[in-house]
Amino acid sequence: MVVVATSSPRSPRRTDALSRERIVEASIAILDAAGENGLTVRAVTAHLSTGRGAIYHHVANKDDLLAEAAAGVLGPVLAGAEGDDDPRQAIRTLALGIFDAIDAHPWVGAQLSREPLQPAVLAVWRIVGIQLHKLGIAETALADAGSALVNYVLGAAAQYAAGARRAPDDASRRRYLERLAAEWVRLDPHPLVGASASLLREHDDREQFVAGVDIFLAGVTCLHGNRGPAAGEG
Amino acid sequence: MVVVATSSPRSPRRTDALSRERIVEASIAILDAAGENGLTVRAVTAHLSTGRGAIYHHVANKDDLLAEAAAGVLGPVLAGAEGDDDPRQAIRTLALGIFDAIDAHPWVGAQLSREPLQPAVLAVWRIVGIQLHKLGIAETALADAGSALVNYVLGAAAQYAAGARRAPDDASRRRYLERLAAEWVRLDPHPLVGASASLLREHDDREQFVAGVDIFLAGVTCLHGNRGPAAGEG
DNA sequence: ACCTGAACACCGTTCAAGT
DNA sequence: ACCTGAACACCGTTCAAGT
């Protein structure tokens, strides 16, 4: 995108002139600071020092605003995720990029699960499809594996983000997990629950997330074994 | 739960007396008929022919109402999902039960991704954990496999529900997929996209969903191979 | 063409007043 | 104790009036 500057020596124009970009930028700032409930048309227009109705000249409605904000966050992540030689590594990189973006902007998680047609989600489908194709998966198996992987990545990232929203810093996260573990064992005397609860306190969301990606990759490889002997099917 | 009836011959009381159950019941009916945006305190109280403030004697707030409604839908599904001999089959049954519940009540999908601590979600964790334990998975591997599976099931079901919300009946679903496939190939000339787009038109959400569960189970089995030779790790 | 801000038709929640 | 419904403090969106 080329920006042509007017060549006046001291620019008389302020950084004015509402635009879709400026509106989306302000929305992202508000969402990060105040969460999804904090995003109101009044907050956006106040942030931009303009009238309440002004944004409707550049954006259809609030849903559009939210979708555009999510695309603004994920755009760079998705743009940088195509060029890796090893398909497995490319998928891990993409998944972790999405995880980190949602971790930094938790409201993105809910937004991605809301609208399957939005461009950012379609881009994820595309990248996953290409990498799985490189692994030798095709036809229905490709569709099944692709949807499984995309749904896991988007679903899990949203799930972790929901937790992160409730516990923004490390200390509150520790308290949160402590409370969850305690309530867990209180509700359920099953010995397995006790063991899981103590693991819960120490686990790392990001590592667990990518472990899930690896389980998927192993499953895909196993079922359509292009590497090692295939496992039997029940 | 035992209901004790007053023994008057012609009951003078109507089916009155607001209760948490009646309020949740009305909320589910409204959510099914009008979607998540249709659930307003005014709609609920009108449906129950009472004052706007009445429900606050039985329910904390609107979030509480929504969580309780989701629990009301999933309760029976989760209660019936514990007793199967084959762990893999038990997991498939649970996953499909959740899928069908969300398919019938799409608003449940978004609700499950919103609050990780809600009882219904904890019940899913519990059941999945027990079944994976039966498969011989333990410790960190159990935590990783459990979180992967739970996140896939909840995430995927929510994703499919988001699609179903936009295309309630068969005809509109066909049009929806047709539009998506067309736009897909228009945006992206990659040959892989063309093949995927035609598969998209014929695929069955439910079958694809359970295929994802199977990929997961295969991955878990492969990585901690208690059946057949384990695949190597890169 | 773009912006303003009052006005409209809604919300969730509270609370004095009733029974 | 439970219910009522007016009142409060908000919303998203529209639109005549301005520049």
Side-chain angles (χ1 to χ4, degrees):
Chain A
M1 212 168 293
V2 180
V3 177
V4 179
T6 58
S7 56
S8 61
R10 330 157 260 140
S11 71
R13 297 189 294 131
R14 306 249 201 77
T15 57
D16 284 354
L18 233 43
S19 70
R20 208 175 158 86
E21 283 88 22
R22 294 226 312 143
I23 292 168
V24 168
E25 213 173 282
S27 301
I28 292 175
I30 291 167
L31 283 160
D32 286 345
E36 197 160 337
N37 289 338
L39 184 72
T40 65
V41 174
R42 278 157 176 83
V44 174
T45 51
H47 195 276
L48 294 166
S49 320
T50 184
R52 300 178 200 330
I55 67 166
Y56 289 94
H57 288 277
H58 302 89
V59 143
N61 51 37
K62 203 190 160 181
D63 280 358
D64 188 22
L65 197 60
L66 202 52
E68 209 66 29
V73 166
L74 283 178
V77 175
L78 298 173
E82 301 227 24
D84 201 308
D85 281 349
D86 178 21
R88 286 168 230 263
Q89 203 48 50
I91 286 173
R92 282 191 201 95
T93 303
L94 169 67
L96 283 174
I98 293 172
F99 181 91
D100 291 338
I102 295 184
D103 192 48
H105 312 274
W107 49 271
V108 174
Q111 175 54 28
L112 290 180
S113 300
R114 213 166 353 234
E115 175 51 89
L117 281 173
Q118 63 190 313
V121 172
L122 296 183
V124 175
W125 279 97
R126 185 193 137 88
I127 299 172
V128 166
I130 290 172
Q131 300 304 330
L132 288 174
H133 176 70
K134 279 197 205 161
L135 281 175
I137 322 287
E139 308 276 319
T140 303
L142 177 61
D144 288 350
S147 73
L149 200 37
V150 171
N151 284 324
Y152 168 72
V153 169
L154 299 185
Q159 214 82 5
Y160 288 122
R165 223 179 304 133
R166 261 153 203 76
D169 57 288
D170 263 20
S172 68
R173 182 169 188 281
R174 200 183 317 280
R175 266 181 283 121
Y176 173 86
L177 289 180
E178 205 68 45
R179 185 161 73 87
L180 177 53
E183 196 158 347
W184 222 1
V185 296
R186 189 180 65 79
L187 287 171
D188 198 331
H190 199 289
L192 190 63
V193 171
S196 299
S198 58
L199 280 174
L200 186 67
R201 275 179 270 249
E202 303 154 18
H203 92 285
D204 180 298
D205 276 0
R206 199 171 188 271
E207 278 175 24
Q208 198 169 72
F209 171 76
V210 80
V213 173
D214 285 339
I215 290 174
F216 248 121
L217 290 172
V220 168
T221 307
C222 270
L223 283 177
H224 313 91
N226 55 348
R227 183 196 211 180
E233 181 64 346
Chain B
M1 214 167 291
V2 182
V3 177
V4 180
T6 57
S7 56
S8 62
R10 329 157 262 140
S11 70
R13 298 189 294 133
R14 307 252 202 77
T15 57
D16 287 352
L18 234 43
S19 69
R20 209 174 158 86
E21 283 89 22
R22 293 224 313 143
I23 292 168
V24 168
E25 212 174 283
S27 300
I28 292 175
I30 291 167
L31 284 160
D32 286 345
E36 197 160 338
N37 287 339
L39 184 72
T40 65
V41 174
R42 279 156 174 82
V44 174
T45 52
H47 195 276
L48 294 165
S49 319
T50 184
R52 301 178 201 330
I55 66 164
Y56 289 94
H57 288 275
H58 301 90
V59 144
N61 51 37
K62 202 190 161 181
D63 280 357
D64 188 23
L65 198 60
L66 201 53
E68 208 65 29
V73 166
L74 283 178
V77 175
L78 298 173
E82 301 227 24
D84 202 308
D85 281 350
D86 178 22
R88 287 168 228 264
Q89 202 48 50
I91 287 173
R92 282 191 201 95
T93 303
L94 169 67
L96 282 175
I98 293 172
F99 181 92
D100 290 338
I102 295 183
D103 192 49
H105 312 274
W107 49 272
V108 174
Q111 175 54 28
L112 290 180
S113 300
R114 211 166 354 232
E115 174 52 88
L117 282 173
Q118 63 190 315
V121 172
L122 296 182
V124 175
W125 279 97
R126 185 193 137 88
I127 299 172
V128 166
I130 290 172
Q131 299 304 330
L132 288 174
H133 175 71
K134 279 197 206 161
L135 280 175
I137 322 289
E139 308 277 320
T140 303
L142 176 62
D144 288 351
S147 73
L149 205 35
V150 170
N151 284 324
Y152 169 71
V153 169
L154 298 185
Q159 214 81 5
Y160 287 122
R165 221 179 305 133
R166 262 153 203 77
D169 56 288
D170 264 20
S172 68
R173 181 168 188 282
R174 197 182 319 278
R175 264 181 285 119
Y176 173 87
L177 289 180
E178 204 68 45
R179 185 161 73 88
L180 177 53
E183 196 157 347
W184 222 1
V185 296
R186 189 179 65 79
L187 288 171
D188 197 332
H190 199 289
L192 191 63
V193 171
S196 300
S198 60
L199 280 174
L200 185 68
R201 276 179 270 249
E202 302 155 17
H203 92 286
D204 180 298
D205 277 358
R206 200 172 187 269
E207 278 175 24
Q208 198 169 71
F209 171 76
V210 80
V213 173
D214 285 338
I215 289 173
F216 249 121
L217 290 173
V220 169
T221 307
C222 270
L223 283 177
H224 313 91
N226 58 347
R227 184 196 211 180
E233 181 64 343

